[in-house]
Amino acid sequence: KARYQKGAVVSFFEAETDGEIQRELDILNQLRFGIQNEEFTVHLQPKVNLMTAEIEGFEALARWYSPVLGNVSPAEFIKVAEQAGKIRELDNIILKKVLQFQNERQMKGLKMVPIAVNISPVHFYHESFVNDFITLVNQYNVSSQFIKIEVTESVELFDFQKAKEILLELKQFGYESSIDDFGVGFSSLSYLQQLPFSEIKIDRSFINDINDSGMYAVVQTIVQLASNLNMHAVAEGIETLEQFVLLQKMGCRTGQGYYFHKPMSFEDTKKLLNSIK
Ligand code: C2E
Ligand code: MG
Ligand code: MG
Ligand code: MG
C-alpha cells in the first residue's frame, strides 16, 4: 500500500498483488487522459441539521467515468493521483467546478449554502496551497463563506506548526476548515485543541457501529469534545433511522449519509436548493 514520508512525497509499494499493481497502473495511465478530456465531474452530498432537518451545506465529491476503465471510485484514483503528483490539479478541477456552480447562483441571486471541497493532505501542505486556493476563489468572485475545506488527518504528513499556520491564514481570509474522518487517523487531542478547525467530521466507521454501547460512548465523547473546543460535530455515513436518532439524542448538530441524501449531480442539487427557501 502507498505510504508517504514527511517532506518529499516518497511512495513505495509493499506486498501488492499483481492484480492490484496492474489496476493502479491502468488508473495511472488513464488519469492523464481523464484530466485532459475533462472526464471528472462533481457530486454534492447535503449536510443536514439533525435538529431542524435544514440543509446547512454540501460536500463536493469527485466522480470519474473513464471510457476505458468505466467508473473509478475516489478511493482508488485519489491515492494514485497523490502518488503521481496530480492531486493538486485534480482537487483544483473539482474546486473550479464548485466555484462555477456557486458563482452562477450568486449572480442569479439564488439561495446559497456553503460547499466544502476535499483537499488532500499532499495538496494542503504544498507551499502554494493557500495562495492558489484564495486566488481561485477570488477569480470566481465567490464570497468566502460559501466555500469550505475538508482535510483528512495524515500521520505521515502531519506537521503541527505548518497545519496551524495554514488553517489560521485560511481563517483570516474567512475560510472555515474541517478535520475529516476524525478518529481513525492521528487525532492527537493536545494538537487538535490548538488547531483552528471549525468542524470535526466523525468517521463513518464509528457511526456504522454506533448501536454498540462502547462505540456510542466513543461518539458521544467526540461530540462533547467538539463542543468543548468550540467546534461543530458532523457525523458521516448515517444510513439508518436508528443511527440518526442516537446522534440527535447526543446533540450532534449535523449529519450526512444515505439515510438523508446520496451524493447528487449539480442538476439535482439545483432542484433540491430551489425547492427549499
Ligand atoms: P470523505 O471525504 O470522507 O467522503 C465521504 C465518503 O462517504 C464519500 O465517498 C461518500 O460518497 C460516502 N458516503 C456518504 N454517505 C454515506 C453513507 O451513508 N454510507 C456509505 N457507505 N458511504 C457514504 P466517495 O465519494 O467514494 O469518496 C471517498 C473519499 O475520497 C472521500 O472521503 C475523500 O476523502 C476522497 N475524495 C473524494 N473527492 C475528493 C476530491 O475532490 N479531492 C480529494 N483530495 N479527495 C476526494
Ligand atoms: Mg470529506
Ligand atoms: Mg469524511
Ligand atoms: Mg470518510
Side-chain angles (χ1 to χ4, degrees):
K1 296 286 172 291
R3 292 281 178 272
Y4 296 104
Q5 265 168 23
K6 211 172 132 185
V9 180
V10 179
S11 59
F12 61 87
F13 296 92
E14 71 182 31
E16 295 205 39
T17 66
D18 290 354
E20 284 170 345
I21 292 170
Q22 189 54 52
R23 174 72 177 167
E24 285 184 355
L25 285 175
D26 290 343
I27 291 172
L28 181 60
N29 284 328
Q30 293 308 315
L31 197 61
R32 194 160 47 95
F33 299 112
I35 290 173
Q36 259 170 27
N37 302 338
E38 300 189 36
E39 291 167 6
F40 289 88
T41 54
V42 180
H43 275 191
L44 298 174
Q45 186 180 37
K47 294 185 171 184
V48 179
N49 185 307
L50 299 181
M51 313 301 154
T52 65
E54 195 187 353
I55 291 179
E56 294 181 337
F58 289 83
E59 173 180 10
L61 296 157
R63 293 291 176 262
W64 182 23
Y65 176 78
S66 154
V68 177
L69 299 172
N71 284 312
V72 185
S73 81
E76 291 192 290
F77 67 75
I78 295 294
K79 191 177 76 171
V80 174
E82 286 173 342
Q83 289 166 9
K86 293 275 183 210
I87 191 63
R88 293 169 57 222
E89 196 175 355
L90 192 54
D91 280 349
N92 286 339
I93 287 174
I94 304 305
L95 172 61
K96 282 183 202 168
K97 289 182 190 290
V98 168
L99 289 170
Q100 201 168 347
F101 179 88
Q102 292 291 56
N103 171 272
E104 197 184 309
R105 296 193 72 83
Q106 197 169 278
M107 302 278 277
K108 291 180 176 166
L110 295 169
K111 179 188 169 76
M112 290 178 78
V113 292
I115 302 180
V117 293
N118 288 286
I119 300 293
S120 157
V122 176
H123 183 184
F124 181 81
Y125 284 113
H126 190 276
E127 58 187 6
S128 69
F129 165 61
V130 175
N131 195 46
D132 293 350
F133 177 82
I134 290 172
T135 304
L136 266 179
V137 182
N138 288 342
Q139 253 171 37
Y140 285 81
N141 194 31
V142 172
S143 166
S144 61
Q145 79 207 86
F146 295 119
I147 289 288
K148 295 187 179 187
I149 289 161
E150 294 190 7
V151 55
T152 309
E153 45 182 356
S154 158
V155 191
E156 293 89 346
L157 293 180
F158 183 72
D159 180 335
F160 173 68
Q161 277 309 330
K162 227 168 143 187
K164 195 171 161 181
E165 276 169 34
I166 295 167
L167 292 167
L168 265 179
E169 206 178 338
L170 288 167
K171 197 176 163 183
Q172 278 158 3
F173 282 98
Y175 299 99
E176 294 189 348
S177 310
S178 314
I179 183 161
D180 206 346
D181 302 334
F182 183 79
V184 290
F186 181 60
S187 305
S188 165
L189 298 185
S190 62
Y191 284 133
L192 182 68
Q193 175 259 125
Q194 292 181 65
L195 290 173
F197 284 109
S198 66
E199 183 178 275
I200 293 180
K201 295 193 75 178
I202 308 167
D203 193 67
R204 192 172 78 211
S205 59
F206 291 47
I207 308 308
N208 194 51
D209 296 336
I210 199 172
N211 57 343
D212 170 271
S213 64
M215 195 54 96
Y216 181 91
V218 169
V219 175
Q220 190 169 41
T221 303
I222 300 175
V223 169
Q224 274 161 12
L225 172 75
S227 161
N228 293 340
L229 296 178
N230 277 316
M231 296 179 196
H232 157 208
V234 180
E236 302 188 318
I238 302 173
E239 291 183 352
T240 68
L241 175 63
E242 188 193 9
Q243 292 165 351
F244 165 41
V245 170
L246 290 175
L247 285 157
Q248 197 184 41
K249 204 172 85 182
M250 63 171 76
C252 180
R253 194 182 87 183
T254 308
Q256 267 180 300
Y258 297 166
Y259 178 73
F260 302 106
H261 297 280
K262 288 197 167 171
M264 60 184 91
S265 66
F266 278 140
E267 279 316 305
D268 287 344
T269 303
K270 283 178 194 168
K271 284 181 202 151
L272 179 61
L273 276 176
N274 295 343
S275 74
I276 52 185
K277 296 215 302 284

